[in-house]
Amino acid sequence: MAGTFDFRRKQGPWSKSGPTIRLILGSTLIAAVGLFGLTRNDIFGLSFAWPHAALWGAVGWGRVGLSIRPMLVLIVFGVMQDVIFHAPFGCFEVVNLLTYAGSTAIASQFDVMSEPLIAITSSVLLFAGAFLLLWLMASTLEDHAVRILPLIAAMLTTGLLYALIHRAFDLGRRPGETPGQAA
């Protein structure tokens, strides 16, 4: 028909890739950030907060519903975090999995894929809840309230970087696909 516009967009390699490839690439990004976090984190004498990258996966991957593969990856990252931070085994696994469960619960109630305000609000609440849980666990294990400013700085770094790279953790629910079938 003359005079009409074809609004179909070309699909890039990311939109054509399946959830397994997206999970692998997201996991690789988390692992890379985690490995760089083991190095010194100061520039010109100013130290900066390093993000808790596993929470990116917990928030992003949870949007497609419950699935065993993202949960297993989050458990593996949790074990690594427990070792790195000298935490009792299970602490970071609990935080990662509870954040993942919260993300899944929010995604099952609201349309977080196409509503930016809900997506931003839910991400902020999930990161704040995860870091509150981290603070509560650390304070309980230390028998006194631990300093909160380093956790707030890490939360801000984690959230701001997630805002920039959140698409890397979208497993891509397909139309007609129920939550949990994507990965």
Side-chain angles (χ1 to χ4, degrees), residues 1-175:
M1 179 175 214
T4 61
F5 295 100
D6 187 12
F7 287 109
R8 285 181 281 169
R9 299 169 68 186
K10 285 186 176 181
Q11 289 187 346
W14 184 253
S15 59
K16 290 180 182 178
S17 65
T20 302
I21 298 298
R22 291 177 179 207
L23 182 66
I24 290 170
L25 292 174
S27 300
T28 304
L29 180 62
I30 291 171
V33 169
L35 285 175
F36 281 117
L38 295 175
T39 61
R40 293 184 59 189
N41 59 351
D42 59 347
I43 298 174
F44 304 117
L46 298 171
S47 88
F48 55 94
W50 199 255
H52 289 260
L55 291 176
W56 296 338
V59 171
W61 296 333
R63 292 183 174 183
V64 296
L66 288 177
S67 185
I68 193 71
R69 287 187 292 179
M71 287 191 284
L72 290 174
V73 171
L74 290 172
I75 290 171
V76 168
F77 284 132
V79 170
M80 286 189 244
Q81 288 173 300
D82 287 339
V83 170
I84 291 167
F85 290 109
H86 305 290
F89 283 111
C91 289
F92 280 96
E93 291 89 334
V94 167
V95 171
N96 291 345
L97 290 177
L98 283 176
T99 305
Y100 179 78
S103 179
T104 301
I106 290 171
S108 69
Q109 296 299 314
F110 302 102
D111 185 12
V112 294
M113 298 294 191
S114 62
E115 292 292 330
L117 183 61
I118 293 173
I120 292 168
T121 305
S122 67
S123 297
V124 168
L125 290 175
L126 288 166
F127 286 130
F131 280 95
L132 176 65
L133 184 60
L134 275 174
W135 180 78
L136 288 171
M137 289 176 121
S139 296
T140 303
L141 292 170
E142 291 293 320
D143 284 335
H144 63 84
V146 296
R147 294 180 345 155
I148 198 162
L149 283 180
L151 281 175
I152 290 174
M155 180 181 66
L156 291 174
T157 304
T158 304
L160 291 174
L161 287 175
Y162 179 76
L164 297 174
I165 61 170
H166 70 282
R167 293 209 186 268
F169 301 100
D170 177 16
L171 293 179
R173 185 185 305 171
R174 294 185 175 89

